[in-house]
Amino acid sequence: GDSYRSPWTNTYDPPVSDGVLPSARLRAMETIANDIFDGYREMYYVGGVSSVYFWDVDDDTFAACVLFHKEADDMKKLKSGNWDAIHVVEVRQSRGSKSAQYKLTTTIMLRIGADGGLSLSGTLTRQREQTMAAADNSAHVANMGRLVEDMENNMRDAMQVVYFGKTKSVVNKMYKEAGASEATKREGLQRQLQEEMARKAR
């Protein structure tokens, strides 16, 4: 409803009597994960906010959602902007197994507003599956950290190519086309002048 559960205190605000809570095992991992990803956030984002939520799926599967939000700092020519990263990890581990299957789905939403009315926004979603050794709960959190870190690095590079690179190429193309159009007009005017001068000379 209108209440949400804090991953830090494990309580609902405003309080509700029937709010769903993670199992003791998942809550222990959730607490560790929030501390670890808070350090990750400070290291990579230098600010912003982070949250990690865990929940049970079935007897052999649980899931977690790792969230990052960062507002753009004041920069020259940058009016506004924000970065939202949503990482959903599904973890499947058979009873007694020393390894687990991880399925990570990541969506990054980017919005930039620059001086002069230029705005840029878009989303990018990627998915990855990997089997990794996981002997205990802390191993799950460490594995998720590595997956999230690798995915964010890859997607950051992809967004630089897809959005910033493409924008640059479009602007360059527009500029070159405009330049070519002006050059064509000048050549046409020169021909007209030459023809007119030749006619008068006759």
Side-chain angles (χ1 to χ4, degrees):
D2 295 327
S3 184
Y4 72 93
R5 180 177 68 86
S6 167
W8 301 97
T9 64
N10 201 32
T11 59
Y12 279 84
D13 184 25
V16 292
S17 59
D18 57 349
V20 177
L21 298 174
S23 63
R25 171 176 174 253
L26 292 190
R27 177 55 188 162
M29 281 193 283
E30 187 178 75
T31 302
I32 296 171
N34 272 286
D35 288 336
I36 289 176
F37 280 107
D38 187 52
Y40 173 98
R41 171 201 57 76
E42 188 59 38
M43 181 173 64
Y44 277 94
Y45 290 90
V46 193
V49 293
S50 64
S51 300
V52 185
Y53 294 90
F54 279 67
W55 66 94
D56 288 293
V57 177
D58 56 41
D59 292 341
D60 295 329
T61 308
F62 68 89
C65 185
V66 182
L67 305 163
F68 298 104
H69 174 78
K70 174 70 182 289
E71 293 287 337
D73 298 324
D74 290 334
M75 299 179 186
K76 186 178 180 181
K77 297 184 179 181
L78 181 62
K79 188 175 181 181
S80 63
N82 58 266
W83 169 290
D84 288 284
I86 304 168
H87 305 274
V88 179
V89 188
E90 185 179 280
V91 183
R92 180 174 295 277
Q93 185 176 34
S94 301
R95 195 176 301 275
S97 176
K98 297 298 182 182
S99 63
Q101 294 176 316
Y102 299 85
K103 182 179 179 180
L104 171 64
T105 303
T106 295
T107 298
I108 291 180
M109 296 178 286
L110 175 68
R111 183 184 64 83
I112 294 175
D115 291 340
L118 175 66
S119 62
L120 174 69
S121 62
T123 63
L124 192 63
T125 300
R126 293 288 185 270
Q127 196 171 80
R128 179 183 177 185
E129 295 187 39
Q130 187 171 345
T131 300
M132 307 171 76
D136 53 29
N137 293 342
S138 60
H140 285 306
V141 177
N143 290 341
M144 285 189 284
R146 282 191 287 271
L147 287 171
V148 167
E149 183 179 30
D150 290 344
M151 182 68 85
E152 284 207 337
N153 286 335
N154 291 336
M155 292 181 72
R156 180 199 60 210
D157 293 341
M159 292 189 86
Q160 286 180 336
V161 172
V162 171
Y163 292 109
F164 300 107
K166 289 294 184 183
T167 301
K168 183 178 179 181
S169 67
V170 169
V171 171
N172 287 342
K173 185 178 180 182
M174 290 172 61
Y175 178 81
K176 288 176 181 177
E177 286 182 349
S181 178
E182 291 299 322
T184 301
K185 290 180 181 178
R186 286 196 299 270
E187 290 174 0
L189 181 59
Q190 288 175 352
R191 282 195 301 270
Q192 289 178 4
L193 288 172
Q194 289 173 351
E195 291 173 359
E196 183 65 20
M197 291 175 65
R199 186 180 64 80
K200 289 182 176 182
R202 290 196 297 269

